[in-house]
Amino acid sequence: METTRKTTPQEKEVMEYLNLLRDSGITNMFGASIYIQTEFAIEKNEATRILSLWMNNFNEKAEYEEITI
């Protein structure tokens, strides 16, 4: 059984950014945590956590109101 919850404002903002980063082709998304850290001034562990959430919930439309955890 999957559990879902609403995203935090920061999670949603970062996930939308990750869609743009993916579309740009600048980096392999497995290495995207450094881009998150730089763009949002957050710690590595938090960047990695949000990147993992994004990878598990990716959708082309960047609709991240609710995510599976």
Side-chain angles (χ1 to χ4, degrees), residues 4-16:
T4 61
R5 68 165 172 81
K6 291 193 179 278
T7 55
T8 66
Q10 182 182 45
E11 288 170 341
K12 187 172 192 264
E13 183 179 14
V14 173
M15 289 181 184
E16 290 169 351

